[in-house]
Amino acid sequence: MAVTNSHGGGRRGHAAAWQTGRVPTRRVLAFRTPALRRRRRFASALAGLATVGLATTATLLVGAPAALSEPADPTPPATEGEQAGPPIGPATPGTEICRVSNANLDEITGMVAVGDVIYAVEGGTTVQPPAVTIWTINATTCEATSQSYGLSPIDPQDLALGTDGALWVADTGLGLSGDRSWVTLERVDLSSGATAVAYRALYPPSGSFNGTAMVLDDTNQPIIIGNVGQTALLFRPTGPLPANTQQNLPTLQQVGQFTPVSTGTSTPRGAFGRLFVSGAAISPDRTKVVIRTESDAYEFTITGGDIVASITEGTPTITPLPDEENGQAITYSSDGSRFLTLSGGENPVLRAYTPYVPPPPAPEGGSSGEGGGGSRLFGGAEPLAAELRLALEVQRKWQPPVDLR
């Protein structure tokens, strides 16, 4: 699921500060006593508190001003205490299991864990692969070997395990030329070792796109995810994919979209790495689906077997994948308890992450203030407003008269 310039992928602001202006007055030339100076300092402090507090209250009640900046994360980060966006876990680095030493394996874009081995594919960002090639990686030592299964793929971007036990290669990238009429899924039967079988679907009338992730539904029909601007679009073929033919092909149609949120997770490519989807996977029990960017893993619960609706209508739980080197591939461990990832560069690192599980919500009326939609820092907007009114009243009583002569 490489997202690089050579793939031709879609490459394709900060809230303004709340301000208060001073009302110009003529300075008082009278002698200032120490008591007067103390009263002025106290009143000034209260005024500052009131200004900050009113700004906070306004933000809580009506939201911050619209972002106006160069392309960055699609949503501004929530302020402390806001319950905005999906739950996100701590940015804990993954556990490094091992590092691949085979110098020929340096463009991993998709992976699947089966038992104690990991199967992987490489993309075509440097050179078009001469054949469908499946890498077998030891999940403990990272020793890697490969086997070819014929055909001539253009740009493999993901790998999925079908309900039929076969591996399905998502040959959905735009490749070096960016000129192709269809996407191809190459089915690999590991047990027979036979030549891979090609299944194709035409691009939608809107044109080609860089498909960087794929999952399979229960009937082994693909759901392909492509980056378009700051949003990832979901596509599905209009009918079953025929085998080994270029005639009477179904067409991909858009069935939904997924937009990453501003997580702030550290990643080498900054905001761009947080925006672009690079991989996806289904849990072994088919109850979860995860979509990854270069920086984070978004996990959804699959409801009623409908993967698309679960992504487009559900709320994900986010597990940060901080500082991965060109983070591309993701899968579940064979028991479904962890995310496994591989980076898309030389000597790729196999890492494991425990999916984040958010704590249960606080009961209504609890001290967190979440039940009433307020801030956990201040205990809600109404108590804060009452405190500010009191501060303003005290300020009014303590404010010494100003000589405007």
Side-chain angles (χ1 to χ4, degrees):
M1 280 89 9
V3 186
T4 62
N5 290 334
S6 56
H7 269 193
R11 296 289 187 213
R12 283 270 166 262
H14 299 303
W18 292 95
Q19 300 178 0
T20 57
R22 292 185 177 180
V23 178
T25 63
R26 295 180 61 184
R27 292 186 178 273
V28 179
L29 301 180
F31 176 74
R32 295 185 177 94
T33 65
L36 178 58
R37 287 195 294 269
R38 286 195 297 271
R39 287 198 297 271
R40 287 187 182 277
R41 286 196 295 268
F42 180 62
S44 177
L46 286 175
L49 172 63
T51 300
V52 174
L54 286 173
T56 305
T57 302
T59 302
L60 289 169
L61 295 177
V62 302
L68 297 171
S69 66
E70 60 183 346
D73 292 324
T75 55
T79 59
E80 184 176 0
E82 281 187 343
Q83 296 303 300
I88 179 171
T92 304
T95 299
E96 183 172 328
I97 298 175
C98 53
R99 184 182 293 268
V100 176
S101 59
N102 192 318
N104 294 315
L105 184 55
D106 59 3
E107 292 185 44
I108 294 175
T109 53
M111 62 189 295
V112 166
V114 179
D116 58 353
V117 301
I118 292 171
Y119 297 108
V121 293
E122 293 188 283
T125 58
T126 300
V127 62
Q128 182 171 326
V132 174
T133 302
I134 302 295
W135 286 86
T136 301
I137 304 171
N138 184 294
T140 302
T141 65
C142 281
E143 180 181 357
T145 58
S146 66
Q147 182 171 341
S148 297
Y149 294 88
L151 298 182
S152 182
I154 293 177
D155 192 1
Q157 286 294 292
D158 210 347
L159 187 65
L161 181 66
T163 55
D164 56 358
L167 292 177
W168 292 74
V169 179
D171 184 5
T172 55
L174 291 175
L176 295 175
S177 69
D179 181 22
R180 60 186 304 184
S181 300
W182 53 64
V183 298
T184 305
L185 269 65
E186 290 123 7
R187 182 182 181 275
V188 177
D189 185 347
L190 296 175
S191 61
S192 69
T195 298
V197 178
Y199 296 79
R200 300 179 175 91
L202 297 171
Y203 282 111
S206 57
S208 61
F209 61 89
N210 199 38
T212 55
M214 182 198 72
V215 293
L216 298 174
D217 67 15
D218 292 342
T219 64
N220 294 322
Q221 288 290 93
I223 299 166
I224 299 170
I225 306 174
N227 292 293
V228 179
Q230 295 187 8
T231 296
L233 303 182
L234 281 62
F235 297 88
R236 185 163 52 194
T238 54
L241 304 183
N244 287 330
T245 183
Q246 299 178 10
Q247 305 298 320
N248 300 318
L249 300 179
T251 300
L252 293 176
Q253 65 176 3
Q254 183 184 335
V255 292
Q257 69 179 43
F258 163 73
T259 303
V261 300
S262 175
T263 63
T265 303
S266 177
T267 189
R269 296 206 299 168
F272 288 100
R274 292 187 285 270
L275 290 179
F276 291 99
V277 169
S278 59
I282 299 285
S283 64
D285 62 3
R286 303 193 66 81
T287 63
K288 304 281 188 179
V289 57
V290 62
I291 298 175
R292 77 160 295 170
T293 61
E294 293 181 7
S295 61
D296 301 278
Y298 296 73
E299 187 179 42
F300 299 83
T301 297
I302 299 175
T303 303
D306 193 333
I307 298 171
V308 171
S310 299
I311 294 172
T312 58
E313 301 174 12
T315 299
T317 298
I318 303 175
T319 301
L321 313 173
D323 298 315
E324 286 202 354
E325 313 86 353
N326 192 18
Q328 296 293 309
I330 191 168
T331 190
Y332 283 88
S333 59
S334 56
D335 64 0
S337 65
R338 297 181 297 171
F339 297 136
L340 301 178
T341 68
L342 279 165
S343 51
E346 295 181 358
N347 303 124
V349 178
L350 175 63
R351 292 182 173 92
Y353 298 84
T354 299
Y356 175 61
V357 178
E364 290 191 14
S367 60
S368 69
E370 295 175 17
S375 165
R376 288 174 293 178
L377 179 63
F378 294 108
E382 291 185 6
L384 176 59
E387 292 178 12
L388 292 172
R389 285 194 296 269
L390 176 60
L392 290 171
E393 179 64 17
V394 173
Q395 178 198 4
R396 184 184 66 81
K397 293 181 178 180
W398 277 79
Q399 179 69 50
V402 177
D403 189 345
L404 300 179
R405 291 178 298 174

